[in-house]
Structure formats: structure tokens, C-alpha cells
């Protein structure tokens, strides 16, 4: 069984920074892509940023230039460095792992979510 364990959310003032981490535990052979989604109250879940195993990244237009996604393949961990945070970044952030290969097969997984609140 694979679990994604997130950490690093919290309350920060506008213009501040936070770093999210997400580690995949269990018998993982490989992970195709890892990334972050977010869901604000009353809105649909949206992709924030993702990184493929080879290092290719993609970002939502709203976070380009402010957020940086990275991963450590040896640790099956993905990070999201968030700078210049804005109130509109407030949301629950979910870690996502795509095409996780384990002895049982290949599946996608989601983390439990971590709250990020940007407010003065």
C-alpha cells in the first residue's frame, strides 16, 4: 500500500514563502510524475505544478515565476517552493503521484491535503 505524506502547510502573510513536501511510502519501484493540485472553497481542484521523472516541469499560469516544483527520485519525494504568496493562493494543496509502480501494479495516488492560508 502506498501512502503520500504531506507537510509544510500553514498560515503566511502576503508576500511570504512556504515549502511543501510530499513523500511516497511503501514498496515503490518508480513514479512517472509527481505534483501538486489545489482546491479553494467553492472551486474545482486545479493543477498547480508537476514534475516528471526526467525533470520536465509544468506550472499553472497563475504561479509561474513564483512557485518551483522539484523532486528527489531516490526519496520518492516532491517539493513545492512557494514564494511571493498571494491571498488567492489560499487553498488545500494535494500531492499527486501518477503511475506509481509497485509489486501490486500501477496506480495513481493522492495525499490527504494540507491547508495553505495567505492572510494578513
Amino acid at each position: 500500500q502506498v501512502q503520500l505524506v504531506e507537510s509544510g502547510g500553514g498560515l503566511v502573510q502576503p508576500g511570504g514563502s512556504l515549502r511543501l513536501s510530499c513523500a511516497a511510502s511503501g514498496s515503490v519501484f518508480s513514479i512517472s510524475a509527481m505534483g501538486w493540485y489545489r482546491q479553494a472553497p467553492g472551486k474545482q481542484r486545479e493543477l498547480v505544478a508537476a514534475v516528471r521523472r526526467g525533470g520536465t516541469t509544468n506550472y499553472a499560469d497563475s504561479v509561474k515565476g513564483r512557485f518551483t516544483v522539484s523532486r528527489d527520485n531516490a526519496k520518492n519525494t516532491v517539493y513545492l517552493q512557494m514564494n511571493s504568496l498571494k491571498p488567492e493562493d489560499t487553498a488545500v494543496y494535494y500531492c499527486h503521484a501518477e503511475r506509481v509502480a509497485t509489486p501490486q501494479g500501477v496506480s495513481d495516488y493522492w495525499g490527504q491535503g494540507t491547508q495553505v492560508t495567505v492572510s494578513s
Side-chain angles (χ1 to χ4, degrees), residues 7-13 18-20 82 85 90-91 114-119:
S7 61
L11 173 64
V12 64
Q13 292 187 341
L18 281 176
R19 188 188 193 218
L20 305 182
M82 304 185 291
L85 282 160
T90 296
T114 185
Q115 178 70 44
V116 172
T117 302
V118 184
S119 175

Side-chain angles (χ1 to χ4, degrees), residues 1-3 25-30 99-109:
Q1 182 71 9
V2 175
Q3 286 189 320
S25 64
S27 299
V28 175
F29 295 148
S30 66
R99 294 187 58 78
V100 181
T102 70
Q104 289 73 42
V106 178
S107 295
D108 289 7
Y109 293 89

Side-chain angles (χ1 to χ4, degrees), residues 29-50:
F29 295 148
S30 66
I31 304 175
S32 177
M34 300 187 78
W36 296 91
Y37 287 71
R38 68 186 180 187
Q39 188 166 20
K43 294 188 177 182
Q44 290 188 332
R45 190 174 297 189
E46 62 175 358
L47 174 68
V48 177

Side-chain angles (χ1 to χ4, degrees), residues 31-108:
I31 304 175
S32 177
M34 300 187 78
W36 296 91
Y37 287 71
R38 68 186 180 187
Q39 188 166 20
K43 294 188 177 182
Q44 290 188 332
R45 190 174 297 189
E46 62 175 358
L47 174 68
V48 177
V51 53
R52 305 208 69 81
R53 184 170 180 80
T56 302
T57 59
N58 62 295
Y59 295 91
D61 288 342
S62 60
V63 307
K64 285 181 180 177
R66 301 188 298 122
F67 291 10
T68 302
V69 64
S70 60
R71 66 187 280 181
D72 184 332
N73 291 331
K75 296 181 179 179
N76 292 322
T77 299
V78 64
Y79 307 96
L80 185 67
Q81 178 66 44
M82 304 185 291
N83 298 329
S84 302
L85 282 160
K86 304 176 181 180
E88 50 264 45
D89 294 318
T90 296
V92 178
Y93 284 69
Y94 296 91
C95 177
H96 179 251
E98 177 184 305
R99 294 187 58 78
V100 181
T102 70
Q104 289 73 42
V106 178
S107 295
D108 289 7

